[in-house]
Amino acid sequence: MGLALPPWVVDAHNNIWVLGAYGILIGGLLPYLVGKWWFGSRSRTKDGVHSKTAGIFFKDITEDATPATLVSSLSKGLEVEKPHLLKRLKLDDIRSLQEQVSQKLGATASAIYANLKSKESKIAFTLLYAHLLRVDIPSAPLRSVQKDLLLQMPVLLGSVLAMALGHSWLPTTIEIMHLHAGFTQAIVPGKSNILQFPLITEDALEGDTSSGLEKLLLLVKDDPNRARGLLAATSHISRLDVYDASFRVVGERIITPGAFVQLTFKVRQVQLLSGSPARKEQTPEEVSAEAAADAAFLESKAEVEDIPSYQPQWAHAPYWPANRKASWWCVVGDLKTQKIFVPPFKFTDVPWSNPEAHPNRDYRTYKLQFQAPQQVGTYTLHITFVSDTFVGEDQSVYMTLQVDDISSLGADEQMIEDDISEPEEDTLAGQMAAMRGGKVKKSPYHGSDDEESTTDGDNDSDSDSSDSD
């Protein structure tokens, strides 16, 4: 099978042109494309934002950051990330919209706009806050720009979250997570979560910022349209139900200093208007089967339990410009110090509770690994599950992490622990441990010192006997 080439490529009088084309392609265009990719990748952080954007967030994010100041920082970041969208707009295009946003923000508006130096950042802030305040935008081009800016929010908020986690600020971390759900449902953090239900407006709430089922039922009681909308949305608006949570160490009955701890939690989604499903009494066989399944998952490397029959579905998010799948963060914090104890773990694909189809296991198990503190003691931790889609649906669990001294283990357990922890002498870890004066295990491929000395002694005796003969 041959390769057919056009005659002009192999003609002798075209050699100079063909070679010139190859030279331009290989010596010019290819290095340009590689260089563009290389320097472009170096200009972005691992969170996917421009390094200049990360610098803005690093300077702006403080421990006492408010939703308004966070949106202000995001606006400055959008000026770097989306300059082609914002530069083509003028302040006159959003003048009326800016007045409406300022009026709803109140006294803080002038200080925020004064802190935004460029035209582009002011336009971005106005469009973002207009979304949170549900201010109608009559202009189609402005709505298109607003949509593109909103779709950039998950990436920018991820970078802002990384800045807060770098300082281990617990309140700021949760505030940033709430902003995810606020942008999804178009609700300013601090407003009533009832606003995420269909046909519920701030005018209907009459300035009431309270949340709760009683208030919602009162609003739909005399309005059939609201009641129908609420019933239609309940299958897509959920709250997280924490079935169980515990700290475990594989193969150990207690947690010792520096041990690798597994935080395992079992969660499911339930309809917002319903309570937690009642737990049915299990037979001894069912309890044994569940314990075996938990042990197998704990010993596996997977962080999420496999459920082959799970079918994901989209969440209720009418104000978000794309389909949205609900996710949650598991945040482990210390309320005494207001610090993050373990970096947050984000998870998704939580099944809906269905006791009829799955009477024994209608939840999903997740696990988060971290290292126990080096100090012996009792640690009271606050586990918060924060949704990135639904507003005001945080779930909290208080748990105690008991770290005991290794002397609490039995003699046999300590011997097993020592045997596991000591590296073999012919491994790199063993050589490093020996250099530090630590204990190492003898290699199974070499004889022990006692065996060698015994052999040497036998050889010497054999030598002496032969001499005497």
Side-chain angles (χ1 to χ4, degrees):
M1 182 176 177
L3 179 63
L5 295 175
W8 62 269
V9 174
V10 296
D11 284 348
H13 62 275
N14 287 333
N15 284 348
I16 186 65
W17 301 108
V18 174
L19 291 175
Y22 274 112
I24 293 173
L25 178 63
I26 298 175
L29 183 60
L30 187 60
Y32 168 76
L33 293 176
V34 173
K36 183 179 180 181
W37 167 80
W38 170 252
F39 289 106
S41 62
R42 289 185 62 187
S43 65
R44 292 195 170 272
T45 67
K46 65 177 183 178
D47 299 310
V49 302
H50 199 280
S51 57
K52 187 176 180 181
T53 303
I56 293 172
F57 294 158
F58 180 77
K59 294 177 181 178
D60 283 2
I61 304 305
T62 59
E63 191 170 5
D64 56 351
T66 64
T69 57
L70 289 173
V71 176
S72 174
S73 297
L74 291 170
S75 304
K76 297 176 185 177
L78 285 171
E79 179 185 358
V80 179
E81 300 292 327
K82 297 290 183 180
H84 59 286
L85 290 176
L86 298 171
K87 285 184 178 180
R88 67 189 186 193
L89 298 177
K90 299 179 180 179
L91 286 175
D92 293 337
D93 299 333
I94 63 162
R95 188 73 63 189
S96 175
L97 190 62
Q98 182 177 338
E99 291 176 357
Q100 296 181 65
V101 169
S102 299
Q103 183 179 1
K104 289 180 177 290
L105 276 175
T108 59
S110 57
I112 292 173
Y113 277 107
N115 186 43
L116 299 171
K117 305 301 182 182
S118 66
K119 174 201 72 172
E120 290 78 13
S121 60
K122 292 179 180 179
I123 293 174
F125 179 84
T126 302
L127 292 175
L128 291 179
Y129 235 89
H131 171 76
L132 292 173
L133 296 169
R134 299 186 180 181
V135 177
D136 292 330
I137 301 178
S139 171
L142 282 180
R143 288 198 303 269
S144 177
V145 173
Q146 185 188 54
K147 174 184 176 180
D148 291 337
L149 297 184
L150 289 173
L151 292 175
Q152 190 70 18
M153 283 299 99
V155 177
L156 294 184
L157 284 170
S159 180
V160 175
L161 183 62
M163 298 297 170
L165 291 174
H167 296 281
S168 298
W169 292 332
L170 179 60
T172 311
T173 296
I174 294 180
E175 191 70 50
I176 295 168
M177 292 175 177
H178 286 163
L179 205 52
H180 274 269
F183 277 114
T184 303
Q185 300 295 341
I187 299 176
V188 177
K191 294 287 185 178
S192 173
N193 68 337
I194 299 175
L195 289 168
Q196 63 192 327
F197 292 95
L199 302 177
I200 304 295
T201 62
E202 287 209 47
D203 292 337
L205 292 176
E206 298 177 348
D208 188 1
T209 59
S210 63
S211 304
L213 180 59
E214 296 78 9
K215 180 69 175 180
L216 179 62
L217 294 178
L218 183 64
L219 289 172
V220 303
K221 180 180 179 181
D222 300 322
D223 192 328
N225 291 330
R226 284 178 181 166
R228 283 192 293 270
L230 176 62
L231 292 175
T234 50
S235 60
H236 297 278
I237 302 179
S238 67
R239 65 176 179 85
L240 196 70
D241 180 53
V242 183
Y243 184 87
D244 185 36
S246 61
F247 293 116
R248 300 182 183 181
V249 176
V250 178
E252 298 289 348
R253 60 179 178 84
I254 64 172
I255 299 174
T256 55
F260 288 100
V261 184
Q262 307 279 359
L263 167 59
T264 61
F265 53 92
K266 304 173 182 178
V267 291
R268 56 192 173 183
Q269 293 187 72
V270 298
Q271 289 189 358
L272 191 61
L273 300 182
S274 64
S276 299
R279 302 189 183 188
K280 79 179 203 58
E281 188 173 348
Q282 294 180 314
T283 64
E285 292 78 11
E286 292 173 340
V287 172
S288 177
E290 184 174 350
D294 291 341
F297 173 68
L298 186 65
E299 295 176 0
S300 69
K301 294 183 178 180
E303 294 181 337
V304 182
E305 181 185 14
D306 184 31
I307 303 179
S309 61
Y310 173 73
Q311 296 293 330
Q313 67 179 40
W314 303 119
H316 173 77
Y319 290 92
W320 186 250
N323 290 328
R324 183 87 173 191
K325 186 168 67 171
S327 299
W328 290 263
W329 284 280
C330 174
V331 185
V332 184
D334 188 344
L335 292 183
K336 295 178 182 178
T337 61
Q338 292 292 295
K339 296 292 185 180
I340 297 291
F341 193 81
V342 180
F345 170 67
K346 192 172 186 180
F347 59 97
T348 187
D349 293 333
V350 178
W352 284 79
S353 176
N354 191 351
E356 290 76 17
H358 307 283
N360 297 323
R361 206 173 179 89
D362 65 337
Y363 52 78
R364 194 169 208 162
T365 309
Y366 301 81
K367 67 182 179 183
L368 168 63
Q369 179 175 284
F370 63 95
Q371 193 169 14
Q374 297 295 333
Q375 290 79 25
V376 174
T378 302
Y379 299 83
T380 303
L381 303 177
H382 183 233
I383 319 296
T384 308
F385 296 92
V386 185
S387 174
D388 74 340
T389 303
F390 303 116
V391 176
E393 299 305 325
D394 294 359
Q395 301 296 321
S396 298
V397 179
Y398 288 91
M399 298 180 64
T400 300
L401 177 66
Q402 180 66 42
V403 180
D404 296 315
D405 190 79
I406 194 171
S407 60
S408 301
L409 294 172
D412 295 339
E413 294 173 309
Q414 292 188 44
M415 289 178 63
I416 294 174
E417 178 71 21
D418 291 342
D419 186 65
I420 293 175
S421 60
E422 292 178 5
E424 294 182 359
E425 62 178 354
D426 59 351
T427 63
L428 178 60
Q431 294 174 16
M432 296 295 293
M435 293 173 62
R436 293 193 299 265
K439 295 181 179 180
V440 295
K441 291 189 294 184
K442 294 298 181 182
S443 171
Y445 301 103
H446 300 85
S448 64
D449 293 340
D450 294 339
E451 292 175 352
E452 291 177 359
S453 61
T454 303
T455 304
D456 293 341
D458 293 342
N459 292 337
D460 292 341
S461 62
D462 291 342
S463 164
D464 293 340
S465 61
S466 61
D467 292 339
S468 62
D469 292 339

